[in-house]
Amino acid sequence: MKGKFITFEGIDGAGKSSHVDWLADYLRQRGKVVHITREPGGTALGEKLRELLLNQAMHLETETLLMFAARREHLAELIEPALARGEWVVCDRFSDATYAYQGGGRGLDRAKFLALEHWVHEHLQPDLTLLFDLPLDVARERIVRAHRVLDKFEQERVDFHDRVRQAYLERASGNPSRIRVVNAENSIDHIRKQLEKIVLTIC
Ligand code: TYD
């Protein structure tokens, strides 16, 4: 039996991370073995690359290649073995983030993204992607309210985040059965009820 791969996506400040733990607990209560992980990161090497990627300025293609290098390691070390054992993986961001941030936000050539996606995970896509969507000003307000040091992406200008959001929505409309858009402005309770309904479709 193959496990299921669920990813969470959205612009910075969409509040997806708080729902990751909740969904994993929900699935565990239904008897699943669940791994929570994130990108960039999820392995010892991946977390080192994350530190660089979130803080160090670099060429766009270097950034993209490092995202996919971390991803290759993550797939080999954690995601693929867990799925092969029939376990579930809940991952905070995956390749849709590269499509949206490096592609939409920074303007990476689409063909280069597709070539890397094909190379790194030709035969694997998430079974379900939850895209947390909300207006930029609401997301920004949440980030400011959190009072923490902003990473390289969070420090980008509003037009960057607008392009990221549009790229996510475009990717969602091209993959409607995999990517489900969640209105991140709704209350936590409302969102949880919606997540329950969506996730039951793949249980
Ligand atoms: P994020 O997931 O928002 O973590 P936190 O909740 O701790 O802030 O941070 C990861 C950042 O990395 C986010 O701004 C998006 C960016 N990113 C990319 O640009 N490309 C990618 O392929 C991935 C996975 C993330």
Side-chain angles (χ1 to χ4, degrees), residues 12 16-17 39-40 50 67 71 93 97-98 101-102 153:
D12 291 284
K16 62 188 165 44
S17 304
E39 290 209 350
R50 178 186 178 94
M67 289 291 181
R71 187 160 297 136
R93 299 193 187 280
T98 317
Y101 280 80
Q102 281 65 51
F153 296 101

Side-chain angles (χ1 to χ4, degrees), residues 71-84:
R71 187 160 297 136
R72 188 72 204 91
E73 191 71 12
H74 196 198
L75 282 158
E77 208 176 288
L78 192 156
I79 300 172
E80 289 170 344
L83 295 177

Side-chain angles (χ1 to χ4, degrees), residues 47-170:
E47 291 295 327
K48 285 187 184 162
L49 292 172
R50 178 186 178 94
E51 188 58 33
L52 280 172
L53 281 161
L54 265 57
N55 297 300
Q56 161 110 42
M58 60 186 77
H59 188 280
L60 167 58
E61 291 185 359
T62 310
E63 185 174 276
T64 308
L65 288 162
L66 287 179
M67 289 291 181
F68 270 104
R71 187 160 297 136
R72 188 72 204 91
E73 191 71 12
H74 196 198
L75 282 158
E77 208 176 288
L78 192 156
I79 300 172
E80 289 170 344
L83 295 177
R85 290 192 300 267
E87 297 164 4
W88 288 50
V89 177
V90 176
C91 188
D92 195 342
R93 299 193 187 280
F94 192 62
S95 290
D96 297 317
T98 317
Y99 181 90
Y101 280 80
Q102 281 65 51
R106 301 218 199 281
L108 178 82
D109 178 21
R110 178 86 47 97
K112 288 183 177 159
F113 168 82
L114 291 174
L116 285 170
E117 185 185 43
H118 187 78
W119 182 9
V120 170
H121 57 97
E122 184 188 354
H123 301 296
L124 181 84
Q125 281 293 347
D127 295 287
L128 172 67
T129 296
L130 299 160
L131 171 58
F132 284 71
D133 182 60
L134 79 177
L136 290 184
D137 52 339
V138 182
R140 185 62 16 196
E141 204 184 294
R142 287 184 183 176
I143 292 173
V144 171
R145 235 187 300 137
H147 290 298
R148 48 183 182 74
V149 180
L150 301 188
D151 67 41
K152 189 178 90 180
F153 296 101
E154 289 166 333
Q155 286 173 32
E156 286 286 347
R157 291 155 38 132
V158 75
D159 54 323
F160 171 88
H161 292 285
D162 191 35
R163 290 193 300 275
V164 172
R165 183 184 184 203
Q166 296 316 319
Y168 266 134
L169 292 173
E170 177 209 312

